[in-house]
């Protein structure tokens, strides 16, 4: 048992009750380095990288956009220029449920819409034929 000099009371020293001179001072942490940071997963690293800003020049103006948006712009540009590999990557996204029909049908001419519907029918038939085999 020791005497607490500040409050002039007796202070019981024991389990979880260290002597006052060895206790942390007000404002002093018992873990100054803090908790270690969590290791990021591969997917989190990719998301962080894709959200970084880069500068591009578009129509003579310099813009800052995310790497993800730059990748999308390049993919669409390549698909429009006739690169089959870009089209193969882009069409499943366009046909997914996340992509609503109203997002692109309003701007399509009747001829373009007929081409797209024909492509969808053929791709569905192809998928069904693959499942049967």
């Amino acid at each position: 048992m020791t005497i607490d000099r500040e409050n002039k009371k007796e202070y019981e020293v024991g389990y979880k009750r260290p002597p006052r001179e060895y206790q942390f001072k007000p404002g002093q942490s018992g873990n100054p380095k803090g908790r270690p940071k969590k290791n990021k997963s591969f997917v989190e690293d990719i998301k962080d990288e894709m959200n970084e800003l880069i500068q591009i020049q578009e129509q003579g103006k310099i813009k800052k956009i995310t790497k993800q948006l730059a990748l999308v712009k390049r993919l669409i540009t390549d698909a429009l220029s006739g690169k089959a590999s870009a089209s193969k990557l882009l069409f499943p996204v366009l046909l997914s449920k996340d992509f609503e029909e109203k997002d692109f049908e309003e701007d399509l001419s009747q001829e373009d819409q007929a081409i797209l519907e024909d492509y969808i029918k053929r791709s569905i038939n192809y998928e069904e034929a693959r499942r049967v085999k």
Side-chain angles (χ1 to χ4, degrees):
M1 187 172 2
T2 61
I3 297 175
D4 183 2
R5 294 196 174 128
E6 294 174 7
N7 297 329
K8 305 285 183 196
K9 295 181 191 174
E10 289 187 13
Y11 173 72
E12 188 76 30
V13 175
Y15 181 68
K16 292 190 177 181
R17 299 181 66 84
R20 292 275 184 211
E21 63 264 16
Y22 296 108
Q23 292 179 0
F24 293 117
K25 307 297 182 257
Q28 179 186 3
S29 170
N31 186 9
K33 289 185 179 179
R35 183 179 181 161
K37 292 186 178 178
K38 175 186 153 192
N39 288 335
K40 290 185 176 182
S41 69
F42 182 71
V43 173
E44 288 171 333
D45 286 338
I46 289 176
K47 285 180 182 178
D48 289 346
E49 188 68 25
M50 293 301 282
N51 287 326
E52 286 185 11
L53 294 176
I54 60 171
Q55 287 185 348
I56 65 164
Q57 187 170 354
E58 192 172 59
Q59 297 176 354
K61 296 180 183 177
I62 295 178
K63 292 182 178 182
K64 281 191 174 185
I65 61 172
T66 62
K67 290 180 180 179
Q68 180 176 341
L69 184 56
L71 185 64
V72 169
K73 285 179 177 282
R74 172 51 71 82
L75 180 65
I76 291 172
T77 302
D78 288 350
L80 289 173
S81 68
K83 290 189 178 177
S85 58
S87 297
K88 285 180 185 177
L89 290 172
L90 191 58
F91 276 120
V93 174
L94 294 175
L95 297 174
S96 72
K97 301 221 185 268
D98 294 337
F99 206 83
E100 295 182 18
E101 291 178 13
K102 65 181 180 184
D103 289 343
F104 59 88
E105 283 186 356
E106 294 172 0
D107 297 337
L108 295 177
S109 68
Q110 287 182 342
E111 183 182 344
D112 290 339
Q113 193 167 356
I115 292 170
L116 186 58
E117 288 173 4
D118 180 54
Y119 174 78
I120 292 170
K121 286 178 190 174
R122 285 186 289 129
S123 66
I124 290 171
N125 290 338
Y126 176 74
E127 288 296 324
E128 289 174 1
R130 281 184 52 191
R131 284 189 211 134
V132 172
K133 289 183 181 180

